[in-house]
Amino acid sequence: MPTSPSPALVLVHAFPMGSAMWRQQMRVASGWRVIAPPLPGFDGRPLVAEHSMDAYARDLLAQLDEAGIHRAVFGGLSMGGYVIFGLLRQAPERVAGMILADTRTSVDNPDRRAARERSIALARQRGPAAIADEMLPGILGPTTHARRPDVVAQTRALIEAQPAETIAAALEAMMTRPDSLAVLARVTVPTRMIVGAEDTITPPSDADTMHRAIPGSDVIVIPEAGHMANLEAPDAFNAALREFLANPGKFAALRAPR
Ligand code: MLT
């Protein structure tokens, strides 16, 4: 398999939407090969037997092998970040840098797990449209709800495009994910956190926690954006991404590689 001639940026999507959520980021930086592989069950990709973030990370690595990409900068939003933590556990040598957007290292508390169980039942009984109804109020910020009906409609369509069983499987995978803060404490690659100022699911305080775990990283807070910062404020999100890709060395982790 030929190896990639350009540096690669791999974008890992959020729950419960597929690769199309990255449409506005696919041409973010000239000279970079940008790919956005779907996680298991999304966009027609087959489900995997084990519903876990580590299984999703394994599937992603297999797709990168097929694409001839050995090492890449990874950008993950929310669940996409959880999958990148799985990559760090399994194959840290393949991660050349990270954009961790609107994500967190902590596990679900009992209330959150109970809510996930209810969402699994909802997805199976009433389908993706009911999941979109449930999620849209919280997943987008108040500014987007007030001023960007096009983004609200686009986000609904992204959710409704995915099968109910894929949504149920991803909920199960997320509710059993391990705490990943200790994994970040071993990171030696350039890292930037991006978070919407109006994100109440993974607020800026979660980005600060990750930033403190990786000396040398930084945090960009995007005004007037909620949990889906790349959809809600694509210009600001892309500027933050582009600045990082132009000079990753500026964000190098301030600790010696192991
Ligand atoms: C996501 O955007 O991927 C989800 O909101 C993550 C989560 O529910 O933990």
Side-chain angles (χ1 to χ4, degrees), residues 11-15 21-22 25 74-85 98-105 184 191-196 199 201-204 206-207 210 218-222 226-231 237-238 240-241:
L11 296 173
V12 193
H13 63 78
F15 169 84
M21 68 162 265
W22 293 118
Q25 280 74 46
F74 289 85
L77 193 140
S78 199
M79 180 174 74
Y82 309 162
V83 174
I84 293 174
F85 304 148
M98 298 189 292
I99 294 283
L100 299 173
D102 299 284
T103 192
R104 60 181 156 202
T105 53
L184 290 197
T191 304
R192 164 168 269 186
M193 268 54 75
I194 304 178
V195 60
D199 184 348
I201 298 175
T202 53
D206 283 330
M210 296 188 289
D218 77 349
V219 180
I220 298 290
V221 180
I222 299 191
H227 185 59
M228 299 303 303
N230 75 310
L231 293 173
F237 190 96
N238 287 356
L241 198 49

Side-chain angles (χ1 to χ4, degrees), residues 14-17 77-78 102 131-132 134-142 144-145 151-152 155-156 159 198-201 225-229 231-232:
F15 169 84
M17 38 198 101
L77 193 140
S78 199
D102 299 284
I131 294 293
E134 182 186 50
M135 291 188 67
L136 280 172
I139 206 170
L140 301 172
T144 299
H145 280 290
V151 175
V152 179
T155 308
R156 173 179 287 282
I159 296 172
E198 299 176 358
D199 184 348
T200 54
I201 298 175
H227 185 59
M228 299 303 303
L231 293 173
E232 295 176 72

Side-chain angles (χ1 to χ4, degrees), residues 79-243:
M79 180 174 74
Y82 309 162
V83 174
I84 293 174
F85 304 148
L87 292 179
L88 290 174
R89 280 189 287 277
Q90 289 173 44
E93 72 284 359
R94 299 188 69 163
V95 181
M98 298 189 292
I99 294 283
L100 299 173
D102 299 284
T103 192
R104 60 181 156 202
T105 53
S106 54
V107 295
D108 284 359
N109 64 26
D111 287 350
R112 187 79 192 113
R113 280 173 158 248
R116 303 264 200 216
E117 296 280 14
R118 289 194 294 276
S119 297
I120 289 172
L122 184 69
R124 290 195 171 127
Q125 285 157 18
R126 297 191 28 230
I131 294 293
D133 289 342
E134 182 186 50
M135 291 188 67
L136 280 172
I139 206 170
L140 301 172
T143 305
T144 299
H145 280 290
R147 296 194 209 147
R148 305 282 313 273
D150 55 323
V151 175
V152 179
Q154 179 195 9
T155 308
R156 173 179 287 282
L158 286 167
I159 296 172
E160 292 185 353
Q162 305 303 329
E165 266 318 306
T166 294
I167 294 176
L171 284 161
E172 196 185 320
M174 288 194 295
M175 69 188 273
T176 54
R177 73 187 190 278
D179 192 288
S180 296
L181 193 55
V183 175
L184 290 197
R186 297 194 295 271
V187 163
T188 60
V189 296
T191 304
R192 164 168 269 186
M193 268 54 75
I194 304 178
V195 60
E198 299 176 358
D199 184 348
T200 54
I201 298 175
T202 53
S205 56
D206 283 330
D208 286 339
T209 300
M210 296 188 289
H211 167 53
R212 282 194 299 274
I214 309 176
S217 66
D218 77 349
V219 180
I220 298 290
V221 180
I222 299 191
E224 302 186 344
H227 185 59
M228 299 303 303
N230 75 310
L231 293 173
E232 295 176 72
D235 291 346
F237 190 96
N238 287 356
L241 198 49
R242 216 174 278 121
E243 187 190 26

